[in-house]
Amino acid sequence: MPSDKETLTLFIDERLSGMRADNALKEICPLSLRGRRRLFGDGLVCINKRRAKAGEYVQAGDILTIRQGDKEKESMSVPAGCSLIFRDEEYAFFSKPCGLHTVSLQGRDSQSLEEAVPYIMPGIPSWQLLQRLDYGTSGIVACALTEEARVSFRMAEQKGLIEKKYVCLLEGELTAKSIIKSRLASSGHAHASMRALDEEDSDAARWTAFYPLLAAPLNELLPCSSDETVTLAGVVLHRGARHQIRCHAASMGLPLLSDTLYGAKKQDGFSFFLHHGALQALGRQISFLPDWPLHDAAAKKAIHSWLNSWHTQGSL
């Protein structure tokens, strides 16, 4: 939505007649449904010059307007760290920072990459995010620009032909490559954590491979006082599940640094360190470095080398 106009107007025609107001608003407002409903709640939407409700129905001849107040302008800003990394006719790849939801969550008044997409990449009539990173995970999020592209991506995922590479910091020392094959299941706890079962997942695309890149005292890598040993690790998976890397890391006894949901010790001032930094998919190779405050040159070099080298597709 342009920011240089105080009011936007939509004239309801026969095509839109009988539609809910919050759905009709999509014609001039690229926000998600939750974002559009928030505009109604803030009193910024009118029908025929009277304050409108999200659930009321519009009729042919109605005039729907949006007043751009301060709250609306704030809600439509692009969060820091969100950007377009690469785009072609079929796919776009965005960066998502740590501390931002990938998609809009019902009942939560917070921004998301999903709401920012129309402002980062305006004028695209149809798109769908193909990945969902945790709130505390940063990195690449793939997006299909056509239905055919979405189907192709999902089929390649099912066949294990898409390689997703991460970097993370583990509490403790990982001394050798480790492939975790445990099937995951919901723990049933209040915070919706996962647990690794004793049985192996029959789908190899659901396995997680951890590669030690560098082990060192934490205060040699990051500006903090702790001297506990941590491992900078590379991770490869092909078809991720909810909390897969976090849960599989904890099952090795090496949870992600500060990931208290899965048993890590608390580090003041830090969230857990997990970054989706490279994606090889359907002939495309995308890489994106994390913005971690590392002050160790060897660690920075190890991350760069890891994210810019590729395995054979379909293997760990």
Side-chain angles (χ1 to χ4, degrees):
M1 183 183 300
S3 58
D4 59 344
K5 297 181 180 179
E6 293 184 358
T7 303
L8 287 178
T9 301
L10 175 65
F11 295 93
I12 305 300
D13 56 19
E14 292 294 338
R15 179 176 60 90
L16 301 176
S17 183
M19 187 179 292
R20 278 177 56 114
D22 52 4
N23 288 327
L25 193 65
K26 187 177 182 181
E27 295 289 313
I28 56 172
C29 178
L31 289 176
S32 67
L33 179 59
R34 187 183 70 86
R36 298 195 301 273
R37 287 176 177 172
R38 188 167 61 223
L39 298 182
F40 285 89
D42 289 341
L44 300 175
V45 183
C46 292
I47 296 177
N48 302 329
K49 297 184 178 181
R50 62 170 177 80
R51 181 169 174 172
K53 295 181 179 179
E56 68 178 278
Y57 294 89
V58 295
Q59 303 298 326
D62 286 344
I63 300 176
L64 187 152
T65 57
I66 308 174
R67 186 181 78 254
Q68 292 199 96
D70 292 339
K71 289 183 179 179
E72 181 205 9
K73 290 178 181 178
E74 181 181 350
S75 72
M76 293 184 182
S77 63
V78 175
C82 286
S83 64
L84 179 64
I85 301 171
F86 174 80
R87 173 186 159 189
D88 57 28
E89 293 182 354
E90 295 181 293
Y91 298 97
F93 300 88
F94 299 100
S95 67
K96 186 195 84 68
C98 170
L100 184 76
H101 295 293
T102 305
V103 300
S104 302
L105 301 177
Q106 187 174 3
R108 293 192 182 182
D109 187 18
S110 56
Q111 291 181 305
S112 68
L113 173 62
E114 180 183 43
E115 288 191 357
V117 166
Y119 301 98
I120 301 172
M121 186 179 64
I124 303 299
S126 177
W127 52 270
Q128 183 174 341
L129 297 181
L130 299 169
Q131 295 168 277
R132 185 168 174 172
L133 302 182
D134 285 342
Y135 180 78
T137 303
S138 61
I140 300 167
V141 176
C143 175
L145 304 182
T146 67
E147 176 61 16
E148 293 77 10
R150 184 194 69 80
V151 171
S152 295
F153 190 95
R154 293 303 183 211
M155 290 179 64
E157 265 191 327
Q158 291 176 7
K159 296 176 181 178
L161 298 178
I162 291 181
E163 182 173 290
K164 304 171 184 179
K165 298 182 71 174
Y166 292 72
V167 286
C168 66
L169 286 175
L170 304 175
E171 291 199 348
E173 184 172 1
L174 178 67
T175 58
K177 171 186 173 182
S178 181
I179 299 179
I180 307 301
K181 304 178 180 181
S182 305
R183 189 166 68 85
L184 298 178
S186 174
S187 67
H189 294 160
H191 296 292
S193 61
M194 305 296 287
R195 60 191 177 96
L197 304 179
D198 292 335
E199 61 191 79
E200 180 178 306
D201 197 316
S202 59
D203 182 0
R206 299 285 192 185
W207 300 350
T208 309
F210 293 88
Y211 297 79
L213 304 180
L214 181 149
L218 178 58
N219 55 12
E220 291 185 7
L221 301 180
L222 296 171
C224 65
S225 59
S226 173
D227 62 355
E228 68 172 301
T229 298
V230 296
T231 300
L232 173 65
V235 185
V236 173
L237 54 83
H238 298 287
R239 190 181 179 191
R242 177 182 174 82
H243 295 186
Q244 178 173 324
I245 295 174
R246 299 168 64 185
C247 186
H248 276 169
S251 74
M252 297 189 298
L254 302 171
L256 298 188
L257 179 68
S258 301
D259 187 0
T260 55
L261 181 61
Y262 288 96
K265 298 183 288 295
K266 178 66 176 176
Q267 293 292 330
D268 291 338
F270 293 96
S271 59
F272 64 81
F273 285 80
L274 179 61
H275 177 78
H276 180 210
L279 178 69
Q280 183 171 239
L282 303 169
R284 298 160 178 85
Q285 293 183 342
I286 311 298
S287 60
F288 184 70
L289 293 172
D291 62 354
W292 296 349
L294 294 169
H295 54 221
D296 183 84
K300 293 178 181 180
K301 182 178 179 180
I303 290 174
H304 185 275
S305 297
W306 168 253
L307 295 179
N308 288 281
S309 62
W310 299 97
H311 296 72
T312 302
Q313 279 195 343
S315 65
L316 293 177

